[in-house]
């Protein structure tokens, strides 16, 4: 009967160890998945920043062209023979203004999206820190559990040894009677 208790205790210790190892594996997988997602979000944010820089350069170039066209328009307005050129330049200036407005809207939208991405990255980094802390706590709990298991196993061994000694002594005294 004592051997059965020892076997049950050993089986319980084995099941507990397996459950703890499985829990650690799950936490490590979640941490890995989370790190991968964080890297993807960082890449998206970097691409958005690059697109914003490109669009701002286009705006700068178009603004320069607009100013040049305005100067050409003013010069052409001084010459009444160039009314057709004035109309063309005005149309071109209007087209450039429209394109600049569209690009500025797109830049604003990208800035909002980038701000959202940065917030998501910050939240993700905070969650990653939380996962790291939880992982550390689980490792500490595992160490405590392993220590408790070791102590329990030692205690069980002591109890079994005492029981065996008592049984031997009882057996020896029964044989004498």
């Amino acid at each position: 009967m004592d051997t059965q208790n020892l076997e049950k205790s050993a089986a319980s210790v084995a099941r507990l160890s397996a459950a703890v190892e499985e829990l650690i594996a799950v936490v490590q997988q979640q941490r890995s998945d989370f790190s991968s997602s964080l890297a993807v979000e960082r890449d998206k944010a970097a691409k958005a920043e690059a697109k914003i820089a490109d669009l701002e350069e286009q705006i700068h170039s178009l603004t320069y062209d607009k100013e040049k066209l305005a100067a050409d328009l003013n010069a052409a307005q001084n010459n009444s023979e160039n009314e057709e050129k004035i109309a063309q330049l005005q149309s071109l200036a209007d087209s450039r203004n429209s394109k600049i407005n569209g690009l500025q809207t797109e830049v604003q939208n990208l800035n909002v999206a980038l701000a959202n991405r940065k917030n998501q990255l910050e939240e993700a980094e905070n969650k990653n820190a939380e996962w790291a802390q939880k992982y550390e706590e689980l490792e500490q709990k595992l160490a405590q559990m392993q220590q408790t298991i070791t102590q329990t196993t030692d205690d069980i061994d002591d109890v079994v040894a005492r029981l065996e000694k008592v049984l031997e002594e009882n057996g020896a005294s029964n044989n004498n009677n």
Side-chain angles (χ1 to χ4, degrees):
M1 182 153 112
D2 295 320
T3 305
Q4 289 175 347
N5 285 340
L6 184 59
E7 290 173 359
K8 286 181 182 178
S9 294
S12 294
V13 167
R15 284 194 314 270
L16 179 59
S17 292
V20 169
E21 288 177 18
E22 184 178 338
L23 178 60
I24 288 172
V26 167
V27 168
Q28 288 174 337
Q29 181 62 42
Q30 288 176 344
R31 187 175 184 191
S32 174
D33 293 346
F34 192 79
S35 293
S36 296
S37 297
L38 186 60
V40 168
E41 290 302 318
R42 283 185 179 148
D43 184 51
K44 288 178 183 178
K47 287 178 182 177
E49 287 177 341
K51 186 170 183 179
I52 287 171
D54 182 53
L55 291 173
E56 287 175 341
E57 180 61 33
Q58 288 180 27
I59 288 171
H60 178 70
S61 175
L62 289 172
T63 301
Y64 174 78
D65 289 347
K66 174 186 166 185
E67 292 169 1
K68 185 177 176 189
L69 286 173
D72 289 347
L73 182 61
N74 285 337
Q77 284 175 340
N78 292 334
N79 187 353
S80 59
E81 297 174 356
N82 289 328
E83 287 182 21
E84 185 178 317
K85 176 132 178 131
I86 291 171
Q88 289 174 347
L89 290 173
Q90 185 63 48
S91 175
L92 187 56
D94 291 343
S95 173
R96 297 291 169 125
N97 281 336
S98 177
K99 189 169 184 177
I100 287 170
N101 290 337
L103 289 174
Q104 286 173 334
T105 300
E106 189 173 349
V107 166
Q108 288 173 346
N109 291 339
L110 285 172
N111 277 328
V112 167
L114 181 60
N116 290 338
R117 285 278 185 226
K118 286 181 180 178
N119 287 338
Q120 289 173 347
L121 285 174
E122 187 176 310
E123 289 174 9
E125 287 170 354
N126 289 339
K127 284 184 181 179
N128 196 20
E130 289 175 18
W131 278 109
Q133 182 180 357
K134 286 181 182 179
Y135 179 75
E136 184 65 31
E137 290 170 3
L138 284 174
E139 283 186 336
Q140 289 174 0
K141 284 182 182 179
L142 174 61
Q144 290 173 351
M145 288 176 144
Q146 288 173 336
Q147 185 178 2
T148 302
I149 290 168
T150 300
Q151 184 61 44
T152 303
T153 302
D154 291 345
D155 292 347
I156 290 171
D157 289 345
D158 289 346
V159 169
V160 168
R162 282 186 278 174
L163 287 173
E164 286 175 346
K165 185 176 180 181
V166 167
L167 287 174
E168 284 177 15
E169 289 173 0
N170 283 342
S173 65
N174 283 340
N175 288 337
N176 290 338
N177 290 336

